């Protein structure tokens, strides 16, 4: 067999079948099969060129044109750069499918595409906006705009409260109106001295920094962020509910169904929710006297197999109540798995408490479970287990209660909706960890609000990707960032003539794109679109 001939022909696409790759980089055409002298099946192989590792294209030789036809073209344009494209292509497509691009264009006009670019950057790279310019140099975006630090600062000021609320009204309008809205709060530490909402308060991350609190609604069906609002760092979660709902009402969230965890359970909140929502689902703390009374009265009954909900090992019944002045259902649920887990965790925690108390320290949460004797200086003299409290606590293990004003849904339905609120908790992890928003590094209040809005858009994009490809992630045991890394491997070669070629997609890349109803041909078409609208790279 002869090696690749000398003429430098222009690259061609790699044949999709009947080819063989060798470690040397040479590519062979596999001919028609036949049996050799020994009767063994074999086939003819002819070198048709060499694989180009930068572009994924074929550098053809004369054999290629003899077999596949066509006229060889001289290679006239050198590759100027290799740019990332796959992950940007995916998120850009999602902005169209989710209508984000349309809404942002309507609200922000000529700044919309730059704002969207920043959101895509944050979704892929994190919240350090000063590095966006470098990212754009390495990524084919089809945009002539370079987002310098100065331009990013300007855009953050453009994202004012009026524009944000205009966007929220449009975003709320296109969501599914009948879905439940999951609501939760997190704290985000900030270095800002100019934002009046930044105050010291209960910090969920145990950081000694002032903070703002962030409340957010998520759609229970779409599993996408719907609306957020920031507020003073010192305001307790329970007190913010009214302000959050009043803000939601201004952007079109009216008479919605809500689901929230037990941290928001208070008589005032329940009465307010009953008067201002179409219905709500809320977790009830087991420590409530009412909860303990219900468990004591019906706990053993719930364990009966006739109350099996068909969801894991969970049993449950619905009890009509009016303890807070309105009709509702309290769903009493029980799980053997939850029972075993809580029993083990309490036993482990109780041993740690005993060790600490022996050293004269009283850990947070331990005191109710001990009879503690102290001297005049508050030093611990003696501590004995409070078996009455311990036994009462053990009686509630394995049980959890959920209150609902939705009389149409069964305990199994209520449990499924209540569990789906976990999506908002995971998304808060995303916004603080994956998007690197655990600490805000902006000192201007207005810029801080602008950056929070960008993080909200980035969270929509990341959540959309995760929701779509979740089966693949679970099957392959991948993280969301591994999906983006794999897509980033789709490269584009940029020539001085404006010709771009992407490397052939791997099976993994094709599988990922298929979840979003995209293909290799779609990537190629998008490159043609960029070529059509951009003549210089």
């Amino acid at each position: 067999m002869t090696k690749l001939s000398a003429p430098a022909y222009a690259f061609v696409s790699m044949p999709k079948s009947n080819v063989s790759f060798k470690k040397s980089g040479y590519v062979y055409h596999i001919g028609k099969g036949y049996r050799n002298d020994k009767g063994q099946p074999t086939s003819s192989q002819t070198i048709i060129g060499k694989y180009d590792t930068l572009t994924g294209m074929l550098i053809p030789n004369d054999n290629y044109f003899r077999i596949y036809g066509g006229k060889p073209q001289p290679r006239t344009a050198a590759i100027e750069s290799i740019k990332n494209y796959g992950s940007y292509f995916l998120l850009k497509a999602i902005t169209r499918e989710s209508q984000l691009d349309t809404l942002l264009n309507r609200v922000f006009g000529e700044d919309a595409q730059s704002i969207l670019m920043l959101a895509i950057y944050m979704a892929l790279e994190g919240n350090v906006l000063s590095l966006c310019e470098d990212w754009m140099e390495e990524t084919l975006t089809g945009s002539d705009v370079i987002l310098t630090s100065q331009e990013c600062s300007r855009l953050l000021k453009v994202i004012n409260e009026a524009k944000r609320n205009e966007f929220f009204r449009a975003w709320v309008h296109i969501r599914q109106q009948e879905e439940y809205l999951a609501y939760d709060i997190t704290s985000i530490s900030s270095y800002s001295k100019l934002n009046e909402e930044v105050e010291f308060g209960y910090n969920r991350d145990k950081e000694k920094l002032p903070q703002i609190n962030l409340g957010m609604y998520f759609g229970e069906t779409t599993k996408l962020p719907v609306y957020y609002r920031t507020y003073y760092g010192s305001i307790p979660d329970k007190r913010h509910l009214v302000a959050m709902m009043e803000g939601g009402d201004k952007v079109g969230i009216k008479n919605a169904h809500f689901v929230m965890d037990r941290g928001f359970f208070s008589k005032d909140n329940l009465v307010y929710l009953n008067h201002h929502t179409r219905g709500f689902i809320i977790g009830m703390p087991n420590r409530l006297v009412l909860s303990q009374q219900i468990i004591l009265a019906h706990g053993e009954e719930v364990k009966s197999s006739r109350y099996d909900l068909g969801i894991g090992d969970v049993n449950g019944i619905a009890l009509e109540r009016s303890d807070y002045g309105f009709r509702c259902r309290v769903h009493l649920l029980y799980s053997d798995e939850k029972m075993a887990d809580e029993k083990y965790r309490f036993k482990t925690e109780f041993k740690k408490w005993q060790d600490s108390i022996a050293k004269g320290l009283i850990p947070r949460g331990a005191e109710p479970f001990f009879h503690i004797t102290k001297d005049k200086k508050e030093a611990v003299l003696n501590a004995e287990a409070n078996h009455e409290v311990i036994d009462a606590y053990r009686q509630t293990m394995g049980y959890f209660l959920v209150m609902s004003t939705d009389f149409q849904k069964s305990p199994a339905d209520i449990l499924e909706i209540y569990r789906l609120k976990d999506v908002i908790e995971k998304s808060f992890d995303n916004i603080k960890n994956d998007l690197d928003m655990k600490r805000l590094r902006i000192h201007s209040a207005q810029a801080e609000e602008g950056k929070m809005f960008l993080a909200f858009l980035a969270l929509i994009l990341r959540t959309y990707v995760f929701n779509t490809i979740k089966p693949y992630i679970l099957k392959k045991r991948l993280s969301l960032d591994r999906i983006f890394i794999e897509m980033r491997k789709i490269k584009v070669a940029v020539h001085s003539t404006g010709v771009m070629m992407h490397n052939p997609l791997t099976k993994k890349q094709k599988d990922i794109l298929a979840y979003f109803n995209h293909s290799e041909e779609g990537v190629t078409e998008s490159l043609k679109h960029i070529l059509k609208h951009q003549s210089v790279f």
Side-chain angles (χ1 to χ4, degrees):
M1 295 182 182
T2 58
K3 290 192 175 182
L4 187 66
S5 56
Y9 295 138
F11 297 161
V12 297
S13 297
M14 189 69 65
K16 296 185 180 298
S17 61
N18 298 328
V19 293
S20 173
F21 295 81
K22 304 298 182 183
K23 290 183 179 180
S24 61
Y26 290 105
V27 181
Y28 292 78
H29 170 74
I30 308 299
K32 187 176 181 180
Y34 64 93
R35 292 188 178 275
N36 60 19
D37 297 339
K38 297 181 179 180
Q40 298 170 330
T42 186
S43 61
S44 61
Q45 296 188 28
T46 305
I47 289 182
I48 58 173
K50 194 169 185 178
Y51 177 75
D52 182 72
T53 56
L54 289 179
T55 65
M57 306 290 281
L58 178 69
I59 306 172
N61 64 6
D62 293 330
N63 291 333
Y64 171 86
F65 297 102
R66 179 174 56 80
I67 295 172
Y68 292 95
K71 186 178 181 180
Q73 300 294 326
R75 196 187 316 168
T76 58
I79 296 175
E80 291 189 346
S81 61
I82 302 294
K83 292 182 179 287
N84 301 326
Y85 185 62
S87 52
Y88 174 80
F89 163 81
L90 179 61
L91 291 190
K92 185 66 173 177
I94 287 173
T95 65
R96 294 189 295 270
E97 293 162 11
S98 63
Q99 301 183 52
L100 270 182
D101 59 350
T102 301
L103 299 185
L104 290 171
N105 280 323
R106 185 189 309 168
V107 175
F108 293 98
E110 61 184 14
D111 288 319
Q113 291 309 305
S114 293
I115 289 172
L116 197 55
M117 190 78 69
L118 281 175
I120 291 174
Y121 162 75
M122 286 185 67
L124 296 173
E125 303 294 333
N127 80 352
V128 184
L129 298 186
S130 60
L131 299 179
C132 185
E133 184 176 359
D134 294 335
W135 173 78
M136 291 191 72
E137 288 289 343
E138 299 170 355
T139 306
L140 181 70
T141 65
S143 174
D144 294 325
V145 177
I146 298 297
L147 296 177
T148 62
S149 294
Q150 292 81 2
E151 178 63 6
C152 289
S153 297
R154 185 191 71 81
L155 289 169
L156 291 180
K157 295 176 182 178
V158 168
I159 307 171
N160 56 42
E161 183 176 6
K163 294 289 187 183
R164 293 196 301 271
N165 285 337
E166 185 179 350
F167 170 83
F168 287 134
R169 281 190 287 271
W171 182 242
V172 166
H173 180 72
I174 66 171
R175 71 172 182 83
Q176 288 184 308
Q177 295 293 327
E178 296 302 316
E179 67 180 346
Y180 270 84
L181 292 178
Y183 170 54
D184 208 347
I185 288 172
T186 192
S187 57
I188 297 178
S189 300
S190 173
Y191 293 99
S192 175
K193 297 180 180 178
L194 301 176
N195 188 343
E196 61 181 10
E197 292 187 351
V198 175
E199 298 179 343
F200 281 95
Y202 169 65
N203 190 300
R204 294 159 182 79
D205 299 313
K206 307 296 189 294
E207 295 174 321
K208 295 181 179 179
L209 281 173
Q211 66 190 31
I212 61 173
N213 284 336
L214 173 70
M216 190 175 292
Y217 290 151
F218 260 72
E220 170 262 329
T221 303
T222 61
K223 301 181 180 64
L224 291 177
V226 173
Y227 170 71
Y228 77 89
R229 182 171 176 174
T230 59
Y231 63 101
Y232 294 110
S234 61
I235 296 178
D237 294 354
K238 293 178 182 178
R239 285 176 51 198
H240 180 254
L241 176 63
V242 174
M244 182 72 177
M245 295 190 70
E246 288 177 346
D249 184 74
K250 292 178 181 178
V251 298
I253 301 175
K254 301 177 184 292
N255 296 319
H257 294 85
F258 288 88
V259 56
M260 55 196 71
D261 67 25
R262 64 192 67 185
F264 297 98
F265 195 97
S266 72
K267 182 177 180 179
D268 289 343
N269 280 351
L270 296 178
V271 172
Y272 184 86
L273 286 168
N274 185 57
H275 281 92
H276 294 84
T277 70
R278 292 181 61 186
F280 67 87
I281 298 172
I282 187 169
M284 292 179 62
N286 280 20
R287 67 177 181 276
L288 292 175
V289 173
L290 175 60
S291 298
Q292 294 177 5
Q293 290 174 346
I294 292 173
I295 291 172
L296 185 63
H298 302 280
E300 289 303 315
E301 178 187 3
V302 172
K303 292 181 181 180
S304 169
S305 60
R306 71 177 183 273
Y307 294 116
D308 186 349
L309 300 184
I311 304 176
D313 70 337
V314 181
N315 289 6
I317 59 173
L319 307 166
E320 291 202 18
R321 309 283 300 196
S322 56
D323 303 271
Y324 294 94
F326 57 87
R327 284 181 66 235
C328 67
R329 279 183 175 175
V330 173
H331 298 266
L332 177 60
L333 306 154
Y334 174 81
S335 164
D336 284 328
E337 184 178 345
K338 180 177 172 64
M339 169 69 166
D341 181 59
E342 290 182 350
K343 187 175 181 180
Y344 172 78
R345 283 192 287 112
F346 179 74
K347 185 176 181 180
T348 303
E349 192 71 12
F350 191 81
K351 180 64 171 63
K352 291 179 180 178
W353 288 342
Q354 286 179 314
D355 294 342
S356 295
I357 291 173
K359 298 175 183 177
L361 304 173
I362 303 177
R364 183 178 178 180
E367 199 158 0
F369 297 95
F370 293 88
H371 292 295
I372 299 175
T373 305
K374 301 178 182 178
D375 61 19
K376 294 180 180 180
K377 295 183 179 180
E378 293 296 309
V380 177
L381 295 177
N382 187 44
E384 296 181 358
N386 186 337
H387 293 291
E388 183 178 350
V389 172
I390 293 172
D391 289 344
Y393 179 71
R394 283 177 172 168
Q395 282 186 327
T396 68
M397 288 182 179
Y399 295 96
F400 53 109
L401 298 96
V402 180
M403 179 184 287
S404 170
T405 56
D406 191 330
F407 287 84
Q408 303 301 314
K409 290 182 170 54
S410 67
D413 296 331
I414 295 297
L415 176 59
E416 184 176 2
I417 293 172
Y418 187 71
R419 281 178 168 176
L420 284 172
K421 73 174 180 51
D422 292 344
V423 71
I424 200 168
E425 296 172 4
K426 293 181 175 65
S427 294
F428 276 143
D429 288 339
N430 286 344
I431 203 170
K432 294 169 70 173
N433 299 319
D434 296 347
L435 297 179
D436 195 24
M437 293 290 287
K438 192 173 183 181
R439 293 185 179 92
L440 287 172
R441 296 174 176 84
I442 288 181
H443 298 273
S444 159
Q446 189 175 0
E448 196 167 87
E449 289 288 358
K451 192 171 186 180
M452 190 67 71
F453 181 75
L454 291 175
F456 178 78
L457 297 179
L459 186 59
I460 290 175
L461 295 175
R462 289 182 66 92
T463 307
Y464 193 108
V465 173
F466 180 79
N467 293 343
T468 304
I469 203 167
K470 183 179 179 181
Y472 184 81
I473 285 177
L474 296 178
K475 179 181 178 181
K476 300 293 184 179
R477 297 184 179 180
L478 299 172
S479 67
L480 182 58
D481 283 327
R482 288 302 309 174
I483 299 296
F484 289 134
I485 289 172
E486 188 63 36
M487 292 303 294
R488 190 183 300 141
K489 293 176 184 178
I490 299 177
K491 306 288 185 180
V492 172
V494 181
H495 293 248
S496 58
T497 58
V499 178
M500 297 174 296
M501 296 171 291
H502 70 88
N503 48 314
L505 270 58
T506 64
K507 182 181 184 304
K508 187 180 293 186
Q509 291 163 350
K510 291 178 181 178
D511 289 344
I512 292 171
L513 285 174
Y515 275 89
F516 299 88
N517 297 318
H518 291 295
S519 64
E520 184 169 3
E521 290 72 22
V523 177
T524 302
E525 287 301 313
S526 71
L527 295 177
K528 291 179 181 178
H529 179 78
I530 292 177
L531 266 177
K532 183 178 179 181
H533 292 85
Q534 186 178 10
S535 58
V536 179
F537 295 88

